[in-house]
Amino acid sequence: QVQLVESGGGLVQPGGSLRLSCAASGSIFSINNMGWYRQAPGNQRDVVAVITSGGSTNYADSVKGRFTISRDNAKNTVYLQMNSLKPEDTAVYYCNADAKIRHGLISDYWGQGTQVTVSS
């Protein structure tokens, strides 16, 4: 199986920055898309940013120009650089990966989530 572990969340003031990291481990054969999703209490889980194995990216309109997703394929790690943070960005952020395990099929995997709080 594949395990995803997020780190880098915390409390930051409006206008500040955070960088989230997510490292994948396990019997990984390959990873296709990796992405970041977020969920505030009472809300659905929404996509924030996605990056393909080739480096193509897509962002939610609400974070375009402020967030940057990147990945290090050699380390099976995806990052989310978050700048100009707003209180509306407050949520639990989840890492996601479409991965194929050795001798298995492509499946969707999720991390445990990391809390990001933007507040004065």
Side-chain angles (χ1 to χ4, degrees):
Q1 299 297 304
V2 176
Q3 295 81 44
L4 302 177
V5 179
E6 302 105 329
S7 62
L11 175 65
V12 65
Q13 295 186 355
S17 298
L18 285 174
R19 189 173 82 143
L20 306 182
S21 299
C22 173
S25 62
S27 299
I28 301 170
F29 179 78
S30 63
I31 301 176
N32 190 14
N33 295 339
M34 301 187 81
W36 290 95
Y37 296 70
R38 66 187 182 187
Q39 186 170 21
N43 295 340
Q44 65 181 14
R45 187 174 299 184
D46 297 323
V47 64
V48 176
V50 174
I51 185 167
T52 69
S53 59
S56 297
T57 59
N58 283 288
Y59 298 91
D61 288 341
S62 59
V63 307
K64 285 181 179 177
R66 299 188 298 121
F67 292 9
T68 302
I69 188 171
S70 61
R71 65 192 288 173
D72 185 335
N73 290 333
K75 297 180 179 180
N76 288 330
T77 299
V78 63
Y79 306 92
L80 185 68
Q81 178 67 47
M82 304 184 293
N83 299 325
S84 301
L85 283 162
K86 305 174 181 179
E88 305 93 271
D89 296 319
T90 296
V92 177
Y93 284 69
Y94 296 90
C95 177
N96 172 266
D98 297 324
K100 183 182 186 300
I101 63 174
R102 294 183 177 90
H103 308 109
L105 303 175
I106 296 176
S107 297
D108 211 26
Y109 297 90
W110 292 91
Q112 82 287 349
T114 184
Q115 177 71 47
V116 172
T117 302
V118 185
S119 176
S120 298

